[in-house]
Amino acid sequence: MTGVTNQPGADGHGMHMADAPTERPAATVLDSAHIGNIEGAFGTIQLGDDAPRAGLKARLGTLLAVVGPGLIVMVGDNDAGAFGTYTQAGQTYGTSLLWVLLLLVPVLYVNQEMVLRLGVVTGVGHARLILERFGKFWGAFSVIDLFILNALTIVTEFIGISLGLDYLGLPKIPGVLLSAAVIVAAASTGSFKRFEQVCMTLVAGSLLLVPIVLMIHPPLAQVAHDFVVPGMPKGADLSKVVLLIIAIIGTTVAPWQLFFQQSYIIDKRITPRFMKYEKADLWLGIVIVIVGAAAIIAFTAATFAGHPEFGNFTDAGGVAQGLSKYVGKTAGVLFALALIDASIIGAAAVGLSTSYALGDVLGLKHSLHRKISDAKGFYLMFAGVLLVSAVIVLLPGSPLGLLTVGVQVLAGVLLPSATVFLLLLCNDSQVLGPWVNGPALNVFTSAVIAVLVVLSLILTAGVLFPDLGAQAILDILIGGVAAFAMAGAGFLIYHRLRPAHLAAPPIDRSHRASWRMSPLSLLTAPKLSAGSRIGLTVLRTYLLIAMILVIVRVVQLALGHGTPSA
C-alpha cells in the first residue's frame, strides 16, 4: 500500500498535478477529498489562503473556522462510560478523587497534540502509519483491536441512551434505533460542514450540566482543595479505589481518541499553517472535558452525601433518580438529557474513528466530504457498527454490565501500546521531519507509558482475580515502578558510557511551515534499535496474553461459568 503525491490516490480519483496549487510542496494524499477548503462549522478558509492574520478579528475568524476536532474528541470522551465512572466516583468517595483529573490534563494534551501533528503533517491516518512503518502484524493488530474495542464502546453509548430514555419514560427500542439513525444521517449528507455543525450542537448540549451545578451548589472550597491536593478516601478499600482510579484514567484517555482526531484533522484539511489554532481548539476541548468531569463528580457527591445511597452506586440511571429525589425533577431531566447527548456524540466519534481507520488501511474512499454513493464502503462500515451495537443493547439478556467492564479493561490493556506507537511515530524523522518530538517530550511520554503499563497490569490482574487485595496491588505498583526505574537508570548509564552512539543529529526546524511527509512509497523502513525491537516483542506478547485472558474471563462470567471470586 502506498501513498501518492497530488496524484490519483487510493481511490483512483485523486488530484492531478495540474489541479494542485503549484506553490504547495508534495505531500501524501490517500483520498483526494482531503484536499480543498477548510469547511468548519463556523467558517471557511480557502485553499491556498496563507495570508497573515493581523488583528484580533482575523485571528478569531480563523479560530472559528478551524475549531472542531479538539472539541469533538474531548467532549466525545465525556461519554456514557465517563458519566458512569465519574458518578460512581462521586457517589462512592465524594470529591476525594478529583485530583486524578488534574493529573490527566498534561497526559491528554501531550497524547492529542502528538496525533494532531501527525495528522496535519503526514495526511495519513494513525492505523495506516502503523501499518506502513511497523509491518502487517501491528497494522492488522491496531485495526482489529480498535474495531473490537470501538464496537464495545459504542454498545456502552447505547446503554447510556437507553438509561436516559428509561428515566424520561420514553420507549427504549424506538429511542435507541432512532438515535442510531440520527447519527448515521448526520454523517451521511456528503457535507463535512453540516456534520460538524451537528456535532457542535451536541457539544453545546454538554452545557446542560451547568444548571445542575447551580441547583446543587457543591462546596466549592472542598472541590477546589480536592482538585489540587491528592488524597485517598478515608477508610476505603485500597484495591477498589485504585481500580476506580484506573477506570477514570481509562475513560478519560482512550485509544479511539488517537485514531479519530488524526483522521478528522486530515478530513478537515487542516495544514501546518493553522497548527497553533488547532492547538487552541484542543485546549478548549480539554478544559471542557475536565470541568465537565469535575462537575459530575462534585454534584453527584453533594447530592448523595448523608443519604443512604451514598456508597451504593448502581448506574447513571440511579444517579438521575437520586437527583430527582434530593434536588428536583428538573435536575434529573437535565442529567438524563446530558447523558443522552454525551452518548450520541460519543457514538458518532467512536464510530467514525473505526470507519476512518478501516478506510485508511483498506484504501477506500474515507471522507465526510463524499456522498454515500461516492464512498459506499466508508459509510457502510460506519452505519454497520452503529446498528449492530444498538441491536446488542436491545437484545433481551445481553450481559450489558460485563460488556461495560470489558470495554474498560480492554481500553486499559491497549492504551499503553497505542501510546508506544504514537511515541515511535513522533520520533520518526521520515514521518515528521522538523516536527519530531524534543527530548523533554520524549522523557515525559516515556514516563506516561511506564505508568500506563503498570496500571494496565493491575487492571488485568483485577479482572482475572477479583479478590485481588490491597497488598497485591501495592506489590505490582512497587515492582513495576522499580522495574522501570532500573530500566531508566540503565539507559542513563549507557548514555554516559556511549554518548556518541545515542546522540541525535541536530534538527533544523526553520522550514517546518512548508515541510510535509513524502509519499509512503518513498519512505525507507524505519531503523529500530535493539532495545526497541525487544520492547515491541515483549509488548506484543503481553498484549496477546492479556487480551486472551481478559476476553476468556469475561465470556466465562457472561455464560455463568466461574464466579467473580474465581
Side-chain angles (χ1 to χ4, degrees):
M1 299 180 189
T2 58
V4 294
T5 308
N6 293 337
Q7 294 175 349
D11 54 26
H13 300 280
M15 178 180 289
H16 293 281
M17 287 296 280
D19 302 320
T22 57
E23 73 275 10
R24 289 190 177 273
T28 299
V29 180
L30 298 183
D31 188 326
S32 60
H34 295 159
I35 299 177
N37 300 335
I38 296 175
E39 299 176 357
F42 306 120
T44 299
I45 299 175
Q46 297 296 318
L47 175 66
D49 178 4
D50 291 331
R53 266 55 180 175
L56 179 61
K57 182 178 180 180
R59 294 192 183 97
L60 182 59
T62 302
L63 176 61
L64 287 174
V66 171
V67 75
L71 272 173
I72 294 170
V73 74
M74 288 290 100
V75 175
D77 192 42
N78 262 2
D79 57 0
F83 265 63
T85 302
Y86 299 147
T87 51
Q88 181 181 359
Q91 187 173 343
T92 307
Y93 301 117
T95 57
S96 60
L97 297 180
L98 278 174
W99 55 271
V100 177
L101 299 176
L102 185 61
L103 292 181
L104 290 177
V105 170
V107 178
L108 280 171
Y109 179 75
V110 166
N111 272 9
Q112 297 307 129
E113 189 275 338
M114 285 194 284
V115 293
L116 185 161
R117 268 186 287 133
L118 285 170
V120 169
V121 175
T122 69
V124 178
H126 204 64
R128 181 66 176 272
L129 279 179
I130 292 174
L131 172 68
E132 296 287 347
R133 304 307 286 159
F134 303 104
K136 293 181 180 179
F137 173 85
W138 286 115
F141 186 89
S142 67
V143 171
I144 293 171
D145 69 49
L146 181 73
F147 181 82
I148 295 172
L149 180 58
N150 282 4
L152 292 174
T153 302
I154 296 172
V155 169
T156 67
E157 309 297 3
F158 285 114
I159 292 173
I161 292 172
S162 66
L163 289 173
L165 293 171
D166 281 343
Y167 175 80
L168 296 174
L170 298 174
K172 184 170 70 172
I173 293 178
V176 168
L177 294 177
L178 177 62
S179 299
V182 167
I183 297 169
V184 173
S188 307
T189 63
S191 169
F192 185 99
K193 184 185 187 77
R194 195 171 296 123
F195 172 78
E196 190 163 273
Q197 288 172 337
V198 172
C199 286
M200 287 305 179
T201 302
L202 294 170
V203 168
S206 66
L207 298 177
L208 290 170
L209 297 173
V210 174
I212 302 177
V213 175
L214 296 177
M215 291 178 195
I216 296 174
H217 298 297
L220 295 182
Q222 184 66 40
V223 169
H225 174 273
D226 291 343
F227 193 71
V228 298
V229 179
M232 299 295 279
K234 295 180 180 178
D237 184 333
L238 178 62
S239 61
K240 294 181 180 179
V241 175
V242 171
L243 290 175
L244 183 56
I245 290 174
I246 296 173
I248 293 174
I249 295 172
T251 196
T252 310
V253 185
W256 71 262
Q257 296 170 265
L258 309 180
F259 293 83
F260 171 80
Q261 188 173 7
Q262 187 165 330
S263 291
Y264 193 80
I265 283 173
I266 294 167
D267 205 8
K268 190 163 182 177
R269 305 161 174 172
I270 295 174
T271 66
R273 170 71 178 82
F274 304 104
M275 183 84 77
K276 64 180 180 180
Y277 293 98
E278 184 50 44
K279 289 183 179 180
D281 170 42
L282 176 58
W283 273 117
L284 285 172
I286 290 173
V287 169
I288 290 176
V289 76
I290 295 299
V291 171
I296 293 172
I297 293 175
F299 70 61
T300 305
T303 297
F304 291 102
H307 296 293
E309 294 90 345
F310 189 83
N312 297 303
F313 175 79
T314 54
D315 54 33
V319 172
Q321 296 289 347
L323 286 168
S324 178
K325 179 179 179 181
Y326 297 116
V327 181
K329 184 68 174 179
T330 301
V333 170
L334 289 173
F335 181 82
L337 291 174
L339 174 60
I340 293 172
D341 176 88
S343 301
I344 290 175
I345 191 172
V350 176
L352 268 179
S353 75
T354 305
S355 49
Y356 272 140
L358 289 170
D360 227 16
V361 169
L362 298 176
L364 303 175
K365 299 175 184 179
H366 51 291
S367 173
L368 292 172
H369 292 282
R370 295 187 181 277
K371 295 182 179 180
I372 294 178
S373 59
D374 196 29
K376 298 183 182 69
F378 174 71
Y379 288 112
L380 181 63
M381 289 183 291
F382 180 69
V385 71
L386 284 166
L387 294 176
V388 170
S389 299
V391 169
I392 289 174
V393 172
L394 298 176
L395 288 176
S398 294
L400 301 181
L402 284 175
L403 288 175
T404 303
V405 172
V407 169
Q408 292 179 339
V409 176
L410 287 176
V413 169
L414 297 172
L415 184 58
S417 70
T419 310
V420 165
F421 285 111
L422 179 58
L423 180 62
L424 291 173
L425 288 171
C426 286
N427 280 279
D428 191 331
S429 59
Q430 294 188 77
V431 171
L432 282 184
W435 293 95
V436 294
N437 286 0
L441 183 55
N442 284 333
V443 171
F444 177 82
T445 308
S446 298
V448 169
I449 291 171
V451 172
L452 291 176
V453 169
V454 174
L455 296 181
S456 172
L457 289 169
I458 293 173
L459 188 57
T460 304
V463 172
L464 298 177
F465 309 102
D467 289 334
L468 193 71
Q471 186 58 51
I473 289 178
L474 286 175
D475 290 342
I476 296 174
L477 280 171
I478 294 171
V481 170
F484 283 109
M486 291 174 63
F491 177 82
L492 291 175
I493 293 171
Y494 183 73
H495 181 68
R496 291 181 66 88
L497 295 176
R498 302 284 298 276
H501 181 70
L502 293 175
I507 300 171
D508 179 11
R509 300 183 187 270
S510 61
H511 59 295
R512 291 199 302 178
S514 61
W515 199 93
R516 302 292 189 279
M517 185 184 77
S518 298
L520 292 169
S521 59
L522 300 181
L523 303 185
T524 59
K527 296 180 180 179
L528 297 176
S529 66
S532 295
R533 289 195 297 271
I534 293 172
L536 286 177
T537 301
V538 173
L539 178 63
R540 176 189 300 191
T541 304
Y542 164 69
L543 287 174
L544 289 175
I545 294 174
M547 285 187 64
I548 291 171
L549 290 176
V550 168
I551 291 172
V552 168
R553 181 62 181 155
V554 171
V555 170
Q556 285 179 338
L557 293 174
L559 296 176
H561 302 306
T563 63
S565 60

